[in-house]
Amino acid sequence: MNPRFYVDKGVFVVVEPYTIEGRKVQMLDISEGGCAFIYSGSKEELEESGILSLQYKDIPYLERVEFVTKSDNLLSVTKDKKEQLRRRSVEFKWLGVFDRKKLKSFIKRNVVGRVS
């Protein structure tokens, strides 16, 4: 529904409440409706989460965004089968006017190209 864009490699998602500080993972792409990111671990580890924050390098940009998981797919497993690499796509829940403006600004500043 919304155009998706690849993001700069310095863009991260912090998923809460995986740890006290959250779990910082690399974002792959983003739109005004949601984003996708890669993480290491099992699907169940992030199941109870429903909140994330967006940041560029170590600078928080949009905090405590509620989300719903749309897909979570296995990408690879290490040879010793101790680590799984997964891709999760999420949809942002309702954002207020101020947060919507911040999201648009975040997208504009951090994209490197449109996903076809």
Side-chain angles (χ1 to χ4, degrees), residues 13-51:
V13 173
V14 179
V15 181
E16 301 171 25
Y18 182 75
T19 65
I20 293 171
E21 305 85 32
R23 182 175 186 181
K24 184 176 172 180
V25 296
Q26 178 68 50
M27 184 187 295
L28 295 174
D29 60 57
I30 191 167
S31 75
E32 288 183 34
C35 69
F37 55 88
I38 290 185
Y39 70 98
S40 174
S42 72
K43 189 173 171 178
E44 294 73 28
E45 289 177 353
L46 296 183
E47 263 328 291
E48 293 184 21
S49 179
I51 298 173

Side-chain angles (χ1 to χ4, degrees), residues 30-88:
I30 191 167
S31 75
E32 288 183 34
C35 69
F37 55 88
I38 290 185
Y39 70 98
S40 174
S42 72
K43 189 173 171 178
E44 294 73 28
E45 289 177 353
L46 296 183
E47 263 328 291
E48 293 184 21
S49 179
I51 298 173
L52 58 80
S53 299
L54 307 178
Q55 68 181 49
Y56 178 73
K57 298 196 177 178
D58 289 328
I59 303 166
Y61 206 87
L62 190 60
E63 299 183 278
R64 304 209 41 88
V65 176
E66 292 185 39
F67 70 88
V68 176
T69 299
K70 290 301 188 176
S71 68
D72 190 306
N73 301 306
L74 182 64
L75 296 177
S76 66
V77 180
T78 58
K79 289 180 184 177
D80 58 8
K81 297 185 181 181
K82 291 185 178 180
E83 189 174 10
Q84 298 178 1
L85 197 57
R86 305 188 68 85
R87 181 185 196 278
R88 182 172 285 206

